[in-house]
Structure formats: C-alpha cells, structure tokens
Amino acid sequence: MEHVIIGNGAAAIGAVEGIREIDKASPVTIVSAEPYRAYGRPLIANLLSGKIVEADIYYRADDFYEARGVKLLLGEKAARIDVEKKRVVLESGKAVSFGRLLIATGGIPFIPPIKGGEGSSIYTFTTLDDAKNLEALPGKVERVVVIGGGLIGLKAAESLHDRGIKVTVVELADRILSSAFDREAGDIVEKRLKEIGIEIVLENSVKEIVRAKGRIKAVILNNGEQYECGAVVIAIGVIPNKAIVEGTGIMTNRGILADGNMQTSVPGIYAAGDVAEAPDLLLGQKRVAPIWPNAYLQGRYAGLNMAGAKKPYRGGVAMNSIEFYGIPTVSMGISNPPDEGYVVRAVYEPKKNLYRKIVLKGHRLVGAVLVGQIQRAGVLTGLMTGRTNVESFEEELLNGEFGFASMPPDVRKKILAENR
Amino acid sequence: MLYYDQNKNYRDFEVLRDENKCIQCQVCVRQCSYEVHTYDEKHDEVTADQTKCVGCHRCEAFCPTDALKIRKNQSEFRDNALWTPQYLKNIYKQADTGGVLLTGMGNSYPYPVYWDKMLLDASQVTNPSIDPLREPMELRTYLGAKPDAVEVHGGNGHPRLDTSFAPQIPIEYPILFSAMSYGSINLNIHVGLARAAEEMGTLYNTGEGGLHPTLYQYGKNTIVQCASGRFGVHTDYLNAGVAVEIKIGQGAKPGIGGHLPGEKIGPEISLTRMIPEGTDALSPAPHHDIYSIEDLRQLIYALKEATDYKKLVFVKIAAVHNSAAIASGMVRAGADVISLDGFRGGTGAAPTMIRDNVGVPIELALASVDERLRQEGIRNRASLVVAGGIRCSADVVKAIALGADAVYIATAALIAVGCTVCQRCYTGKCPWGIATNDPYLAKRINPEIAHEKLANLIRGWGHEIQEMLGGMGLNALESLRGNREKLRGVGLNETELNILGIKHAGA
Amino acid sequence: MKRVYAKEDVCIGCRLCEIACVVEHSESKNAIRTYKTEVPRPVARNVVEERGPLTFSVNCRHCDEPLCVAVCIAGAMVKDEESGVVRHNEEKCVGCWSCVMICPYGVIKMKPAAKKVSKCDLCNGRTMPACVQACPNRAIVYEER
Ligand SMILES: Cc1cc2nc3c(=O)[nH]c(=O)nc-3n(C[C@H](O)[C@H](O)[C@H](O)COP(=O)(O)OP(=O)(O)OC[C@H]3O[C@@H](n4cnc5c(N)ncnc54)[C@H](O)[C@@H]3O)c2cc1C
Ligand code: SF4
Ligand code: SF4
Ligand code: SF4
C-alpha cells in the first residue's frame, strides 16, 4: 500500500514515524511545497533572533528520510487530489498514486485587506523563508510594526527586537495573547515586553500603510495615530490550508474534518495538523488546534492508522508554552472559560510576575494558565488528559510546588503505577 | 553556646566537619532528628549545634563525602577517680530539671562481663574434631517441657514411644528475637523480625504492645507477650503465635513498670494495644493479679485454658538475687519455658539508676538457675532461654554450655539494622528509625532490608556455632547443653567459678 | 524495559539520589570536586517530593510513547529505539519548555539560566543508575514492571 503525505511539517513527520512503527516496507512519499527538509517551524523565531543557526532548525537526523525509505519530493506543490483515481496531481504536472493519503498542509497566515498592503516590505512569519526574508531587515530599517499581539506576532516582535529593531505591536483586542492566555497573564507579559522596550498598542488596528515611492514610511491606526516604520509584519492568525480539498467531496468546516482515526469523510484519506479539525479531548467536539503537539500526535495517529494499526487518537488538548524575556508561561486546555459551568481559581502576584490559574469543570481540571513558575506543569497536563477527579485536592492545584505529594495516596499511587 | 544553660555546653560529643569535604548537600541536616545540623542558606553553610548531639553517627554514616566525624568531647575535667565527668553531668542535669535520669538500652557500667572470662574447649588428638562443612551438624532445638522419663515398647529396631509429650516448638537455631513492643519500636522492624524468624525457622516476640493485624500471618514464628498492662491481649492474640510469654520483669529495669507516653499512641498503635489514641500506656510494675507463685500458676493455667493447651507458656523474669528459687517456683507453677533476662538487657526507656544498679549478670543467674533446677530434678520440665547482652555466637555457645536451651537477642538484632547504641531510645527520635514511630523516621527501616540483615545475622552466627561445636568434637547442640566441662574460667575467683560451675583454665 | 521506580513507604528523603545524579553527570565524577568547583553544577534529574513525613523520588519513565519526544520542536528529545532510553540532546534544546509542559510525571528539569532542560538518561548504559545505587534504603529500584 503506497502512502502519500502532502506537507512536510510536524504532522508529516509524526505520520512517517507512525507508519514505520507498523509498516516497515510500503513506499512512503512526501510532497513538500517548501524546499526544505522538515524544520521546527516555531524555531524560525530563534533563527531570526540569532539564537540558533539554520543547521539547528532541522529537527530530525540528516538521514531521516532515507533511513525510513521515504521518497521526498521537495519544492513540489500538490495542485489537486483525484479521489477517484487515487492520485495526487502536482503543480509540476507530475502525479503520485496513493493507497492511503494524508493531508498535512498546515496553516496559512491570514492577511486582511489593508490600504497600502500591496507591495514590498509586508511580511508574514510562519515559514523559514519568512525568517530569511526578515533577516535582511536589521541595518536597513529602524522600526517595524507587527500587526497582531498573539503568540506568533509577539515572537516576531521579540526576534526583531533582539536584532536591534524598534518594534511596535498593534493589537485589536484590549490585551495581548487574548486567545491562548487571559488578562492577567497578558498583563504580566505586556509589562515585561514594555520594560524590554517593545511598544504595545492595544484596541487598535492598522487602517492604512503609508508608502512613499513604494517604500513603507508609516502606518496609520484606526484612531488616526501614525507610527513611522520601514516594514510591517502581519500576524493576526493562521487559517487551515485546506484549498487542496476543494471539489473533492472531502468534508470541511473551519478545517478538514477528521475522525478519531484522523480519517476524513473519504475512506483512505486522512488529515492531521494545523489543517485538520479533529476531536478535542476536553471539549468533546472537533476543533482546529494549530499547535505543534497536536500536529505531531495527530500525524502519528494518522500514520499508525494508515498502516492499519486501528489505534484511535484520544484527542488533543490545546497547550502553549512560551517564554518572554525570562518569564515562562504555559496555557493549557480551556484557559478562558465562559462563566457558566466552570470554576476558576487563581493566585495572582503581578509584582513577582507570578500567576497561576486553574479551570475546573465537574471536579475535573480542564484548563490552566501558569506564568513565572511553570516547573512540573506536565503533572497538571496529565491530570487534565487523564480526566482525573481532583475534588479532594483542588486547593492544592494552585500551589506552585504542586506535585504528586499534593495528591491523596490513592490518586498518586495510581498515576505513578502506570507506565505510558 | 549563647543562651544555653552553661552546663549544657559540657556536651558529650563533638561534631567535626571537614570544610574541605563538606559539599553543603544537607544530607546530615535531614538525617539528624536531634536537629544538630542546620543549613544557612545565606552563607551556603552547614553548621552544627553540638550540644544536641547524642552520638548516634547517623549523619556520619550518610555523609556522601566523608566530611563528618563524631568524637567524644575532647574537653576534660580534672582527673578524679570518683567524680568522673559522667557523675558531674548527671548532677548538673538533675539540678536543672529536678527529674529522674532516663536512658535506653542496657546497663553500660563496666561490671565484669563473664562471657569474656570463659574459654571454650577444642578437640586435639584424643578426640577428633568435626568439619561442619562435610558432616551433619544439628542445631535444632525443641523448646517445651520434656517428660521425666520416656517409655518405649517394641524394639528389634522398631521402638515405639508410649509417653505423650507436652507441645514442643522446634527452632532451627538456638537464637530467638527477644520481646520489643510495637510502640517502643515500629512496625517495620516487627515485619523484619517476623520475616527473618520465619526464614530462619526461629521465633520473634511481640513484646507487650499487642500484635498488628498484618503480622498474624507469621504466627508459627511468633511468641505473644502478656505483660502487666495487658495491652492488646485477646483470645485471637493469645492463639496467634506458638507461645505466650508472661512478662514479669525485664533485665534493664527489674521491679519497674513501663510508660509509653500518649503522644506515641497513634492510630495504629492504639488499635494494636487496644487503648484510646493519645492516652499514656502505663505498664504497672507488678501484675496486679500476681503476688505469689500460686497467683502465677493461675495465670499460666488461665492462658493454657485460653489456648487449649496447644501453646507453650513462657514466663520471663529479670535476673535478680534469688532468681534460682523463683525459677524453681515458676517451673512448678507450670511454665514451659523460663526466660531469664540479665542486667544488661536492653530497654526502650529506663531510669538510669535502675538500669545501671539493679540485677545480676546473666551468666551467673543462668548458671545458678540451671544448677538449682537440676538439683531439684525439674530441669527437664522447662526450657531455659536467656537474654541480656548476648553479643556474638561465642556468647551463645557459652550460654548453651552453661545450661541454656536457647538465647534471646534484642540489642544485637537492633544493631544489625543500624542501631549504634546511643541509648536515647526513650526520646522517640531514633535517627536510625528503630526506636521511633514518627512516620518520617520509621521509614528508615525498610522491612525488606531488615529481614535480610536479621536473617543474615542468625545465619552467620549459626555457621560459627557449628564451627565451634565441630571444634569441640560435637555434632549436635544437644551435646553441649549444660556441658560445663567445655568451659574454663580465666581470672575468676573461687566463688565465681563455683557459681558458674566451671574449672579455672589450666585445671 | 527496566525502569526506575520509587517506593514512598521506605523513601527517607535523604536526597542522596540527587547527589549521585549530579555527580554522575558531572565532569569530574567526584562529589567534592563537582560541588566545589563545577560551575554550573549539573542539576539532579530526578525530583524528590517532600510533604510532611512523605518523601519519594519521581524519575523519568522512558515512556513507550514519550510525549516529550512528540512535542519537542527542536528534535532534542529522542527515544532510542534499541534501548528504549529517552535521551535529551542539550546542544539542540532551545528551552521552549514544551516538554516541561507535557511530561505527565513532571520530571524534566528546567535550567532557566541556560535555557535548556535536563532529564534522566538512565546514566547512559550504567548497569545500575546512579540514583538507584546510591539509595541507602532501596526506595528507588530499577526493574522491569
Ligand atoms: C512562528 C511560529 C511559532 C510557533 N510556535 C509554536 C509553539 O511554540 N508551540 C506550538 O505548539 N506551536 C507553535 N507554532 C505552531 C506550530 O508550528 C504548528 O502547529 C505546526 O508546525 C503545524 O504542523 P503541520 O505539520 O500541521 O503544518 P506545517 O508545519 O505548517 O506544515 C505544512 C507543510 O505543508 C506544506 N504544504 C502546504 N500545502 C501544500 C501543498 N499543496 N503541496 C505540498 N505541500 C504543501 C507547507 O509548505 C508546509 O511546509 C508556531 C508557529 C509559528 C509559525
Ligand atoms: S545526633 Fe546523630 S545524627 Fe545528629 S549530629 Fe549527633 S551523631 Fe549526627
Ligand atoms: S520525560 Fe516524561 S514524557 Fe518523556 S519519557 Fe520521561 S516520563 Fe515520559
Ligand atoms: S525544552 Fe528543549 S527538549 Fe524540551 S521540547 Fe523544548 S527544545 Fe525540546
């Protein structure tokens, strides 16, 4: 059975490893639009800031593909999928037949229409090429405006700041990190970024990009304020890159719908990663969760199932870990719950840059936000994904030193007795 | 030290820390339950308050870099053969507190140790010695009353026994673990003792604290004790082991009762002792129903009734001036086994003056009891188990030669699991996790390790006993029992030799 | 595979396991030299938890399906297929703390200054991991379960 994978990101690598765990022989082909071996996408920030070099960004061994007998088609973009004939047609005109297909095309940055948005010096920040393009800025431009105060926008801002560029982040919401984190966490991070010298403008957006002789001079915000800059980075979110399934009959919603086995509505065709809309462990429904752990694990389970293992994926949980200038943060699960049906507890010590919030539903831990002190956060993740009843030690979850010793003996012993 | 009563500074020990080796790992800080060591975070330094040190060596044993030494305080008082530092310090202490001096373990005064004044015989030329590695060597002993005579019929190589025997307990080694109550020591050690006794085919003794439910499974290796407080005594308990021991007295504190303070009576101990949590466990000095040999006989037979005459009844007394006469009465009262505890016997807590000044050396008491019972022709009616300062297999062999059927060991057993005889058992803070039920400390005894070490001790002593027997040309312990011809005294006067019933070396 | 397990009933909280781990992963492999001269000193890779009288060590389980490997964005966490050991390559680690966020046993140690993590490597083929050997009370065992 020929396995074909479109995309070469975390989901694809997970799939290769999953397939090869079960099936050492069948041919596997990867179609990758990007001309690079798989790289750690989040590491483009580390690369841009100068903390690592390009060689470090490739996160699997040099012989990863050969060693696993994977045919890698680099720089080839899949144009369409012929479901009937079971083949993928590439833009180059070539076609690849598949027995099982995985769509792991990831996400694409969402770019809103902005006056002056056409032309040079507008950047996105999701690919290695983006990072390489931005690397040309230091020395050439003094100021950059980043549109979007989410995780990717702030990473871009941080990286550029590290390279000596003055950065202004413009965020539409009344706080940064509004989707993954909450107000308190956002406030601590905002304060820290400002201390470092990154300018943050809230409740505002870029109405117009002002150019002179084609070159960016400034941006004008909704309130009329003007910010000088030589380039603009747009980072207001990524959306599932699902264009390829148009007209194939594969069902989509926000993303490509996948079931517990990561299979789409068309048997034999799977979807995983940022492009997929798959079951969420906590919500009990499908959703797009564009994060690395989900991408890898969905890919891995897609791979296992493509190879015939019949191993359903229990579903992922949203989680992010990101550090801003010495302040580590973690958000997991439902970090901004609606009021009803959830119990929220928190300890907030903004002076010490400490914050710890837990979200409970029916005595189950369903979300958490940690700032400043994140060691052993995984123990919480374990309770969350294990659906452990935490009623008898709810109070303890707020303690920064929380660990197994904080749990009643039966709970602790049960967890520690398990191998995973 | 600043703020201390001046005389507290006449400390017993010095804690020497080699700063070149100390890595500030704080293992000593965590190990010392007397809070001698403290870590000063600001200066990244570990310091010691030596006045609190009891000399248990726990910290030294655990220090990963060999940075610690515990020495006797080098500071000296002016020489005086009468007013030795120990007396001075005791007086200072009592002048401060007005209290009774307390201590743990056994008599620590330099009274003569008769084991060390007796030598064993060996075979040369006229009688061959035996190599225990090549030839069978019997250590098995049967505890229990033996009949005055046995009648057999048959013959022609097929003799049949007509006499019926009182119940007997076979033990594979003549070494039993002596009574230590759950409360004075902890359950982990009890488990270790029970399992070691099971593995080695011998017995351990519950002491007066009752029997924890988890230990009923070791019944065939258990002696349950019935003491003056009657803690934890009920029908199932009496029937749980192979014998019941009535404890009249204890070598470390003859004539004195016991007192386990209420703080030590946690849920498990309360359950096992059958007393409310937090109440003091007071063992009266006497049994209030025993004021005569006749009373003792009543209790012995009450226990035999309660156990359907299937269990042996041991009676334990401290070795005192007229032990021989008392022992005779005990045998006549129906005791199957006499447990005789010499003045070096250990304890969890005793008034120092009692421990160090009351009682009789076990060697002398043993010799006189055995002799008296023989003279009265009743030695066969009870076995004789002796205790109180048995330190090695040679002591065991000498005790058997003096007439004991077996020995009890307690201090030696505790030393096997780490005890350094610091004699502070009564504080409940035993850093070795032995004489304590503080859950943080009690964990220091891993029952699995305790089991192994205790079994090893018996095994090792067993090998040595076999060697010594073989050397004397004997192939069974039975042949040595009461065989005082195999002993010779050194440096003993006529009276001592007479009491011990042995000749002087050279004779 | 053989893994390191702790027995809380007999753990005495002495933390000799941690010291052994630090020394084993030091340059000199000598306790005194490690603690007195090595800067930065290696961190102990197990976690000794303490609460009242309760103490026990938690060690990496070298999971069959290691989540730390799944989430590592830098390829610094690798499960060795042959030995089963989950290894961490400090060179590659970028200190994103993703693994810290997901390890259900909470046994990945952060080194904030270095922006790296540190984790158990089962002492790289040592017959008996250092912590297990150093435990004076057999409260850490290395066995197949
Ligand atoms: C700057 C940045 C920082 C991030 N930081 C974190 C973080 O800290 N933690 C975290 O959990 N997540 C982070 N993420 C998100 C994480 O990187 C993604 O969730 C993950 O990379 C998704 O993997 P994927 O395999 O689904 O898709 P991708 O990695 O996006 O891979 C999809 C691949 O498919 C290719 N492709 C698309 N269409 C076609 C086609 N038609 N033909 C051939 N190839 C095609 C694309 O070129 C791309 O190479 C970050 C993302 C960015 C951009
Ligand atoms: S009391 Fe024991 S552990 Fe404490 S310092 Fe003295 S010898 Fe060390
Ligand atoms: S670090 Fe945690 S997740 Fe990774 S193998 Fe060890 S126990 Fe498993
Ligand atoms: S902290 Fe290091 S090892 Fe852990 S996930 Fe990040 S890069 Fe990988």
Side-chain angles (χ1 to χ4, degrees):
Chain A
M1 179 89 62
E2 168 116 349
H3 301 291
V4 175
I5 301 169
I6 308 177
N8 188 23
I13 296 302
V16 169
E17 291 176 347
I19 291 170
R20 283 298 180 237
E21 204 171 299
I22 307 286
D23 175 352
K24 303 263 188 261
S26 301
V28 175
T29 304
I30 289 182
V31 183
S32 169
E34 287 187 83
Y36 307 107
R37 284 164 42 214
Y39 60 88
R41 192 165 302 285
L43 296 184
I44 61 173
N46 305 55
L47 181 67
L48 178 58
S49 65
K51 288 180 189 136
I52 60 171
V53 295
E54 192 182 329
D56 298 332
I57 204 168
Y58 301 104
Y59 66 98
R60 285 294 184 259
D62 291 353
D63 67 346
F64 176 82
Y65 300 98
E66 297 101 76
R68 284 163 188 75
V70 176
K71 193 164 146 198
L72 181 60
L73 304 178
L74 284 184
E76 292 272 11
K77 188 164 184 198
R80 61 188 183 85
I81 301 166
D82 189 335
V83 174
E84 295 288 288
K85 296 206 177 113
K86 294 202 141 193
R87 48 185 213 148
V88 178
V89 182
L90 310 185
E91 273 186 359
S92 61
K94 285 184 250 174
V96 188
S97 299
F98 63 84
R100 299 259 154 86
L101 175 69
L102 173 65
I103 305 167
T105 48
I108 39 168
F110 177 64
I111 302 177
I114 301 175
K115 191 170 170 204
E118 312 281 304
S120 65
S121 299
I122 305 280
Y123 299 89
T124 53
F125 193 51
T126 61
T127 65
L128 180 50
D129 283 338
D130 287 342
K132 287 182 176 174
N133 292 338
L134 284 163
E135 273 205 302
L137 294 189
K140 285 195 198 142
V141 300
E142 229 171 84
R143 291 176 168 276
V144 169
V145 165
V146 174
I147 307 178
L151 284 167
I152 295 181
L154 294 183
K155 279 208 176 189
E158 185 180 347
S159 307
L160 290 169
H161 175 83
D162 286 351
R163 298 294 296 269
I165 290 175
K166 294 210 163 65
V167 183
T168 304
V169 177
V170 181
E171 165 62 50
L172 186 60
D174 60 354
R175 57 194 159 105
I176 56 170
L177 295 172
S178 60
S179 64
F181 288 81
D182 61 6
R183 173 167 309 281
E184 288 79 357
D187 285 352
I188 293 178
V189 174
E190 184 187 329
K191 190 182 76 184
R192 182 81 187 122
L193 293 178
K194 283 180 171 165
E195 274 168 18
I196 290 296
I198 293 174
E199 194 173 10
I200 291 170
V201 181
L202 297 174
E203 292 182 274
N204 228 321
S205 186
V206 172
K207 177 167 81 178
E208 185 183 340
I209 297 168
V210 186
R211 290 177 188 268
K213 292 192 206 134
R215 297 176 77 180
I216 296 182
K217 284 283 153 216
V219 295
I220 301 174
L221 305 191
N222 282 353
N223 64 358
E225 271 182 67
Q226 192 159 327
Y227 283 82
E228 269 178 34
C229 63
V232 171
V233 177
I234 300 178
I236 58 168
V238 290
I239 48 175
N241 183 10
K242 61 183 179 187
I244 189 132
V245 300
E246 255 168 53
T248 56
I250 294 172
M251 278 173 42
T252 62
N253 182 32
R254 263 202 51 165
I256 300 175
L257 291 168
D259 64 13
N261 294 324
M262 305 317 300
Q263 190 161 236
T264 65
S265 58
V266 174
I269 299 184
Y270 295 74
D274 287 6
V275 74
E277 189 168 334
D280 182 284
L281 186 68
L282 296 176
L283 298 178
Q285 66 189 53
K286 292 182 186 184
R287 75 140 162 187
V288 178
I291 54 161
W292 182 282
N294 263 359
Y296 178 89
L297 288 167
Q298 289 179 355
R300 175 177 155 75
Y301 279 86
L304 290 169
N305 286 306
M306 287 163 74
K310 298 213 172 67
K311 264 201 183 172
Y313 181 44
R314 290 182 62 223
V317 170
M319 56 178 88
N320 283 286
S321 146
I322 170 167
E323 180 167 322
F324 298 95
Y325 295 102
I327 303 182
T329 66
V330 159
S331 91
M332 55 176 82
I334 302 163
S335 49
N336 277 310
D339 289 344
E340 217 157 289
Y342 293 85
V343 177
V344 174
R345 294 165 175 238
V347 196
Y348 182 41
E349 294 178 76
K351 288 217 179 86
K352 293 188 193 157
N353 289 336
L354 283 178
Y355 179 51
R356 189 175 176 98
K357 167 166 113 176
I358 56 163
V359 183
L360 302 156
K361 187 180 187 188
H363 303 305
R364 300 285 192 287
L365 180 66
V366 294
V369 178
L370 316 179
V371 179
Q373 218 178 9
I374 67 157
Q375 81 272 28
R376 311 200 80 199
V379 178
L380 294 181
T381 313
L383 292 175
M384 203 159 76
T385 54
R387 313 292 287 132
T388 308
N389 186 327
V390 298
E391 188 176 1
S392 56
F393 56 103
E394 272 176 25
E395 212 54 55
E396 302 281 349
L397 298 169
L398 281 178
N399 184 338
E401 305 286 320
F402 179 79
F404 294 100
S406 326
M407 304 177 191
D410 50 329
V411 180
R412 164 174 79 240
K413 286 182 180 166
K414 183 168 171 279
I415 298 175
L416 289 175
E418 281 166 7
N419 285 327
R420 293 170 194 250
Chain B
M1 292 183 64
L2 198 58
Y3 307 129
Y4 275 154
D5 276 341
Q6 279 66 35
N7 51 40
K8 247 195 128 179
N9 291 327
Y10 302 135
R11 54 188 186 266
D12 292 333
F13 295 97
E14 279 183 351
V15 179
L16 305 179
R17 190 186 319 277
D18 183 341
E19 294 299 344
N20 291 323
K21 289 179 171 176
C22 175
I23 57 172
Q24 286 80 38
C25 68
Q26 303 161 57
V27 168
C28 54
V29 177
R30 289 182 282 265
Q31 288 308 301
C32 180
S33 48
Y34 292 95
E35 295 170 346
V36 171
H37 305 273
T38 36
Y39 178 62
D40 172 349
E41 201 168 348
K42 197 166 155 214
H43 303 100
D44 188 29
E45 194 181 32
V46 184
T47 53
D49 173 354
Q50 316 191 67
T51 56
K52 294 177 179 165
C53 177
V54 305
C56 75
H57 292 264
R58 177 81 181 181
C59 54
E60 177 186 337
F62 274 67
C63 175
T65 58
D66 189 27
L68 285 170
K69 287 283 161 289
I70 306 299
R71 288 256 190 84
K72 273 199 213 146
N73 189 354
Q74 303 287 301
S75 174
E76 307 202 334
F77 293 84
R78 182 176 299 280
D79 281 345
N80 189 317
L82 184 64
W83 296 104
T84 59
Q86 193 180 356
Y87 288 104
L88 304 188
K89 288 186 206 169
N90 280 348
I91 290 173
Y92 295 142
K93 210 182 283 172
Q94 288 188 292
D96 281 345
T97 63
V100 172
L101 296 170
L102 278 180
T103 188
M105 302 315 286
N107 194 315
S108 65
Y109 272 44
Y111 295 106
V113 179
Y114 288 96
W115 302 127
D116 298 340
K117 296 174 187 283
M118 288 186 283
L119 289 167
L120 291 166
D121 196 16
S123 306
Q124 299 294 302
V125 184
T126 54
N127 51 344
S129 48
I130 299 169
D131 181 350
L133 293 176
R134 291 165 207 269
E135 294 182 53
M137 182 67 70
E138 186 66 58
L139 294 188
R140 179 180 291 173
T141 299
Y142 288 89
L143 296 179
K146 309 294 183 294
D148 294 338
V150 285
E151 280 174 31
V152 287
H153 74 266
N156 297 338
H158 296 287
R160 288 279 184 77
L161 188 63
D162 287 336
T163 317
S164 66
F165 269 63
Q168 302 286 317
I169 307 171
I171 48 174
E172 302 304 324
Y173 293 86
I175 306 160
L176 284 59
F177 296 120
S178 194
M180 289 177 276
S181 71
Y182 172 39
S184 73
I185 59 173
N186 56 60
L187 187 58
N188 290 340
I189 306 217
H190 265 208
V191 174
L193 288 165
R195 290 189 192 157
E198 181 183 49
E199 182 188 338
M200 302 312 290
T202 180
L203 308 175
Y204 85 106
N205 188 314
T206 61
E208 61 178 304
L211 184 62
H212 193 269
T214 55
L215 294 176
Y216 276 73
Q217 54 180 310
Y218 305 103
K220 69 178 199 345
N221 302 95
T222 306
I223 301 167
V224 298
Q225 205 176 53
C226 170
S228 62
R230 304 283 153 93
F231 299 120
V233 177
H234 52 90
T235 319
D236 289 346
Y237 170 76
L238 293 174
N239 283 286
V242 287
V244 182
E245 180 172 83
I246 300 169
K247 176 198 167 187
I248 303 289
Q250 190 175 338
K253 46 177 175 177
I256 298 283
H259 176 196
L260 195 61
E263 310 90 72
K264 297 192 183 172
I265 313 293
E268 292 288 305
I269 294 175
S270 128
L271 195 84
T272 310
R273 290 207 172 207
M274 306 199 307
I275 53 170
E277 254 179 74
T279 50
D280 289 5
L282 291 162
S283 303
H287 284 247
H288 286 302
D289 51 358
I290 304 178
Y291 285 75
S292 65
I293 291 293
E294 290 71 23
D295 289 345
L296 174 64
R297 184 178 177 83
Q298 285 206 6
L299 181 58
I300 291 174
Y301 278 89
L303 292 174
K304 291 195 176 200
E305 283 289 336
T307 57
D308 210 11
Y309 292 86
K310 288 188 178 127
K311 312 287 177 188
L312 270 62
V313 174
F314 287 43
V315 180
K316 172 175 178 174
I317 55 162
V320 286
H321 299 178
N322 58 344
S323 320
I326 300 165
S328 159
M330 284 153 64
V331 175
R332 292 171 199 281
D336 299 298
V337 178
I338 309 291
S339 310
L340 199 55
D341 196 11
F343 78 149
R344 283 207 180 76
T347 179
T352 311
M353 290 303 128
I354 304 283
R355 186 196 73 172
D356 292 341
N357 296 287
V358 181
V360 170
I362 189 59
E363 304 89 323
L364 301 180
L366 160 61
S368 61
V369 167
D370 178 71
E371 181 56 24
R372 173 75 172 257
L373 298 181
R374 282 177 199 278
Q375 281 171 5
E376 294 184 6
I378 54 172
R379 177 63 182 84
N380 61 298
R381 285 212 235 149
S383 299
L384 187 52
V385 178
V386 299
I390 306 279
R391 305 157 300 174
C392 62
S393 58
D395 290 354
V396 180
V397 172
K398 291 170 189 174
I400 306 277
L402 279 179
D405 287 278
V407 304
Y408 260 143
I409 58 167
T411 303
L414 299 188
I415 293 171
V417 296
C419 168
T420 54
V421 200
C422 75
Q423 310 175 32
R424 289 298 177 275
C425 324
Y426 61 93
T427 63
K429 292 203 250 182
C430 174
W432 289 90
I434 299 167
T436 176
N437 273 281
D438 173 337
Y440 183 70
L441 300 173
K443 294 186 292 182
R444 297 182 178 189
I445 294 295
N446 179 342
E448 177 186 309
I449 299 175
H451 164 191
E452 276 173 30
K453 294 200 179 223
L454 291 164
N456 275 339
L457 181 71
I458 303 281
R459 195 174 289 120
W461 285 17
H463 288 312
E464 292 172 346
I465 293 171
Q466 290 184 330
E467 290 285 355
M468 284 181 266
L469 284 178
M472 290 186 275
L474 305 176
N475 65 359
L477 199 60
E478 203 50 50
S479 316
L480 179 69
R481 194 155 285 124
N483 190 346
R484 300 191 195 185
E485 190 45 41
K486 297 289 184 201
L487 293 171
R488 287 292 186 275
V490 274
L492 295 175
N493 63 32
E494 205 58 36
T495 316
E496 290 167 321
L497 290 170
N498 267 340
I499 294 170
L500 289 168
I502 60 174
K503 294 184 191 124
H504 202 278
Chain C
M1 69 180 289
K2 276 194 179 174
R3 295 181 161 94
V4 177
Y5 299 94
K7 296 183 171 174
E8 63 174 58
D9 295 344
V10 288
C11 169
I12 63 174
C14 64
R15 295 176 177 254
L16 282 168
C17 49
E18 293 181 335
I19 296 164
C21 182
V22 168
V23 174
E24 178 67 21
H25 295 94
S26 70
E27 248 155 55
S28 63
K29 309 240 191 255
N30 168 299
I32 298 173
R33 217 165 289 148
T34 305
Y35 275 78
K36 292 220 183 265
T37 63
E38 285 183 32
V39 184
R41 190 191 296 162
V43 298
R45 295 156 183 224
N46 63 329
V47 180
V48 175
E49 291 201 34
E50 253 186 270
R51 192 182 173 103
L54 174 70
T55 56
F56 54 89
S57 165
V58 190
N59 294 61
C60 169
R61 288 295 178 78
H62 298 273
C63 303
D64 292 331
E65 302 212 14
L67 288 169
C68 58
V69 174
V71 302
C72 180
I73 59 172
M77 289 284 184
V78 178
K79 182 161 176 90
D80 186 284
E81 279 176 29
E82 237 166 77
S83 63
V85 176
V86 174
R87 289 220 168 76
H88 176 249
N89 178 344
E90 271 205 24
E91 302 262 289
K92 295 193 111 185
C93 177
V94 297
C96 70
W97 317 134
S98 297
C99 50
V100 174
M101 171 178 69
I102 203 144
C103 169
Y105 300 99
V107 289
I108 298 179
K109 290 277 191 86
M110 297 166 71
K111 299 197 285 186
K115 281 217 81 179
K116 304 273 180 195
V117 300
S118 196
K119 78 169 281 301
C120 166
D121 56 0
L122 282 180
C123 294
N124 260 321
R126 211 175 186 276
T127 358
M128 174 83 73
C131 55
V132 179
Q133 195 183 342
C135 178
N137 211 30
R138 287 190 213 158
I140 315 184
V141 294
Y142 183 47
E143 61 190 32
E144 203 94 32
R145 272 195 198 167

